[in-house]
């Protein structure tokens, strides 16, 4: 059964975004290095290259020559140390300083203790990861006029240099960061906050609808976007427009962008006119490039303030004051020219809470963990056998095929009482339509409300998956200790095993492969198989997996990232859906640390009979190697890792998910 949404049938598959899943241990090491740098800032000592190298080598257990860390990572540790310093002393420092100008002077002294960013990584160049200098961040926060009643969204939160200033002001935080290591670091620096990992250019589309910020602080990449190789001239506009769409009416957005992104620039005038239909620009000024010198660039930037209220005349903008030679001048201009904030709808105001301020970073972390409200566990749905009837198959409409490439798709061998039709029209290839589907006998265990959650076509997939998993492949086999070599064996041979049949979801766009995968796991879950593994190409896709799982009435946080468990340590989940990526799965043994595959196998047990979802399974192509135009082609590391997991768990219920899995014979090597 291979279906596709009719609207997508004639559309070529778009390239999938490549994802990575760096070890969260890297973020933990960065935080450890930051902890070693913190005493330097406390004593007012300059952090030179030697001190920074020593802290990094101690935290990572290796020098940069080994590739364990690079200097961009070291600069992230400096920024994390700044966050730790401000959390510990920021409120007292701000009270003592009194005026914004005095606070700016104090923060400038702290910034001068840190080294200049003279070296860059490929990632920082590609994704324009230039964190906000803390003095400029203070000016931006001052322009936002943040209060304890605000909920502040930072769509590209980086290492938290803007977020910590909002925290000092007493506001609630909503943090988002797409880059893996930085997102992991943010989760450690702000443990009370669930850091989302969306593309900030679509933050309004992805963020929970209940999250309504009253302030947006942002320093987005100036001309790059996720999954787009070339420079995007309108990147800054997309970031700002999406964040403004999410901002509460009456709220304030403060953005640091490239200097050219200006209302008085003819290239951007029309874009700003469109923006002013939703929010009025109340201040905009260029900042001299020297402000960013410590962070490795001297490009001129711009600070723009937008209030969420339509402009009286969208074509009229405030006069630009010129180019601020330093942040002190910019601060003065804001005090003189930026208006007071508008009133925000009381329904989005954060209730006032005045907890005791922890005296240490450890105290903050402990308080943050306790501050997460305890919620009652979601009631688990009851599982009932799905009722359906088998029926005789007819070829096409009225027993005949048309002359087209695609045929209308409908259930052919079964009829599910009470099931609703798929919300979009489905088609199948004429070749598939000419083959009779088998009459199944397997009955999934699903909630009584399942007819409201899945279409008839999606339920059919769950039935056929269970039908396939109910039997085993012919023959008996033994698997060696590496999980690489599988050898035919006698049925009564020692350690001989039979492999359970797998199932492939080859449906195209619009059918809901994620929802189908979640339903297959749910069927097994309600039959007592309370562990499953979901593997995909990018760790960003965990949000989709959690969405599809929770849509079936299950607790979304049961879908847990493997990244929470460092390599070499046991996975301690008593039950749940473990989510990981192919890139992580291929991590081999590292000294005494077992491979990721073996770590998962030890959690599941060698007799595991639950579900393994191989989402985007074509990522395992060429698992067995082969021959190419220039000779032998080595087996892919990802493919081999996927095979190892299947070899180690012969009784697992394997599901391959791919809309493009059968484009070449080599792509079928993983199956």
């Amino acid at each position: 059964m291979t279906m596709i949404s009719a609207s997508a049938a004639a559309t070529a598959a778009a390239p999938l975004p490549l994802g990575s899943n760096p070890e969260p241990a890297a973020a933990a090491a960065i935080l450890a290095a930051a902890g070693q740098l913190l005493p330097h800032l406390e004593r007012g000592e300059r952090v030179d290259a030697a001190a920074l190298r020593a802290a990094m080598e101690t935290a990572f257990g290796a020098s940069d020559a080994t590739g364990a860390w690079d200097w961009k990572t070291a600069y992230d540790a400096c920024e994390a140390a700044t966050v730790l310093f401000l959390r510990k002393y920021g409120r007292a420092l701000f009270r003592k300083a009194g005026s914004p100008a005095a606070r700016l002077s104090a923060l400038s002294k702290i910034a001068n203790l840190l080294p200049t960013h003279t070296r860059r990584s490929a990632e920082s160049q590609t994704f324009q990861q230039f964190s906000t200098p803390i003095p400029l961040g203070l000016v931006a926060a001052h322009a936002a006029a943040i209060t304890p009643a605000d909920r502040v969204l930072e769509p590209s939160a980086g290492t938290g240099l803007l977020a910590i200033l909002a925290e000092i002001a007493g506001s609630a935080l909503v943090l988002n960061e797409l880059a893996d290591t930085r997102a992991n670091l943010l989760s450690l620096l702000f443990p009370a906050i669930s850091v989302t990992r969306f593309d900030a250019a679509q933050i309004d589309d992805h963020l929970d609808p209940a999250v309504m910020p009253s302030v947006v602080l942002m320093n987005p990449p100036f001309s790059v976007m996720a999954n787009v190789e070339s420079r995007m001239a309108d990147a800054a506009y997309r970031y700002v427009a999406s964040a403004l769409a999410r901002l509460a009416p009456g709220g304030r957005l403060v953005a640091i962008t490239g200097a050219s992104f200006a209302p008085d620039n003819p290239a951007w005038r029309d874009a700003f006119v469109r923006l002013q239909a939703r929010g009025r620009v109340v201040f905009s000024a260029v900042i001299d490039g020297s402000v960013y010198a410590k962070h490795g660039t001297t490009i001129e930037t711009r600070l723009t303030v937008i209030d969420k209220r339509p402009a009286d005349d969208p074509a009229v903008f405030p006069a630009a004051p010129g180019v601020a030679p330093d942040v002190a001048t910019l601060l003065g201009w804001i005090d003189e020219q930026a208006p007071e904030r508008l009133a925000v709808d009381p329904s989005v105001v954060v209730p006032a809470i005045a907890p005791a301020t922890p005296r240490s970073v450890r105290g903050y972390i402990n308080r943050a963990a306790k501050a997460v409200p305890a919620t009652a566990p979601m009631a688990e749905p009851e599982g009932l056998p799905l009722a359906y009837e088998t029926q005789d198959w007819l070829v096409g409409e009225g027993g005949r095929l048309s002359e087209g490439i695609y045929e209308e798709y409908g259930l052919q061998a079964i009829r599910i009482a009470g099931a609703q039709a798929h919300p979009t029209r489905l088609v199948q290839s004429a070749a598939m339509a000419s083959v009779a589907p088998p009459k199944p006998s397997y009955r999934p265990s699903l909630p009584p409300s399942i007819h409201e959650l899945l279409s008839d076509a999606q339920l059919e997939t769950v039935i056929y998956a269970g039908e396939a998993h109910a039997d085993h492949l012919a023959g008996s086999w033994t698997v060696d200790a590496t999980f690489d070599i599988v050898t035919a064996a006698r049925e009564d041979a020692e350690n001989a095993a039979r492999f359970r049949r797998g199932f492939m979801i080859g449906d195209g766009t619009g059918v809901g492969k994620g929802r189908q995968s979640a339903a297959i796991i749910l069927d097994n879950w309600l039959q007592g198989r309370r562990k499953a593994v979901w593997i995909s190409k990018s760790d960003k896709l965990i949000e989709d997996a959690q969405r599809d799982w929770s849509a079936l009435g299950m607790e979304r946080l049961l879908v847990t990232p493997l990244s929470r468990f460092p390599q070499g340590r046991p996975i301690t989940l008593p039950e749940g859906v473990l989510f990981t990526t192919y890139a992580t799965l291929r991590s081999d043994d590292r000294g005494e640390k077992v491979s990721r595959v073996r770590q998962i196998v030890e959690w599941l047990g060698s007799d595991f009979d639950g579900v393994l979802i191989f989402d985007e399974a074509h990522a395992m192509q060429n698992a067995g190697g082969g021959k190419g135009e220039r000779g032998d082609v080595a087996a892919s590391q990802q493919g081999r890792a996927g095979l190892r997991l299947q070899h180690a768990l012969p009784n697992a219920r394997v599901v391959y998910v791919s809309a493009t899995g059968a484009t070449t014979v080599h792509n079928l090597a993983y199956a």
Side-chain angles (χ1 to χ4, degrees), residues 121-136:
S121 67
E123 182 186 57
S124 66
Q125 286 284 88
T126 302
F127 297 106
Q128 296 181 345
Q129 292 176 339
F130 296 103
S131 299
T132 310
I134 198 69
L136 179 58

Side-chain angles (χ1 to χ4, degrees), residues 94 97-107 135 138-139 142-143 327-328 331-332 335:
F94 280 23
S99 69
R103 295 171 183 174
L104 179 60
S105 176
L107 290 192
L138 177 69
V139 174
H142 178 67
V327 287
L331 181 66
D335 282 337

Side-chain angles (χ1 to χ4, degrees), residues 531 533 560-562 564-566 568-574 578 596-604:
K531 291 182 178 179
V533 179
T560 304
L562 176 61
R564 290 190 179 177
F565 305 96
R569 296 185 183 179
I571 299 170
T572 56
L573 292 175
L578 193 68
R596 284 297 197 178
V597 167
R598 195 171 296 276
Q599 182 188 28
I600 294 172
V601 171
E602 290 176 355
W603 175 60
L604 296 174

Side-chain angles (χ1 to χ4, degrees), residues 4-160:
I4 185 170
S5 170
S7 62
T11 304
L16 292 165
L18 295 177
S20 60
N21 189 11
E23 295 298 327
I30 294 171
L31 184 61
Q36 295 181 54
L37 297 173
L38 178 59
H40 290 266
L41 301 183
E42 291 176 321
R43 295 189 296 265
E45 296 175 355
R46 186 178 298 277
V47 177
D48 58 18
L52 181 53
R53 181 187 293 276
M56 294 297 289
E57 290 181 350
T58 300
F60 281 83
S63 73
D64 60 317
T66 66
W69 56 275
D70 57 26
W71 282 91
K72 179 62 177 66
T73 307
Y75 301 144
D76 285 349
C78 292
E79 293 172 9
T82 306
V83 171
L84 296 180
F85 179 87
L86 290 176
R87 173 164 295 127
K88 192 171 182 179
Y89 302 105
R91 285 187 174 89
L93 185 151
F94 280 23
R95 283 195 303 269
K96 183 178 179 180
S99 69
R103 295 171 183 174
L104 179 60
S105 176
L107 290 192
S108 297
K109 291 177 182 178
I110 296 168
N112 288 333
L113 297 176
L114 298 170
T116 299
H117 299 191
T118 57
R119 286 173 268 196
R120 304 175 185 174
S121 67
E123 182 186 57
S124 66
Q125 286 284 88
T126 302
F127 297 106
Q128 296 181 345
Q129 292 176 339
F130 296 103
S131 299
T132 310
I134 198 69
L136 179 58
L138 177 69
V139 174
H142 178 67
I146 301 169
T147 73
D150 284 314
R151 179 176 283 105
V152 178
L153 165 65
E154 190 178 354
S156 304
T159 56

Side-chain angles (χ1 to χ4, degrees), residues 300-339:
E300 287 189 341
T301 53
R302 175 178 295 273
L303 187 139
T304 301
V305 182
I306 303 175
D307 284 343
K308 185 71 175 286
R309 178 182 292 175
D312 298 330
D313 185 346
V316 175
F317 303 97
V323 179
D326 50 47
V327 287
T329 301
L330 181 65
L331 181 66
W333 286 352
I334 289 170
D335 282 337
E336 294 169 3
Q337 301 180 28

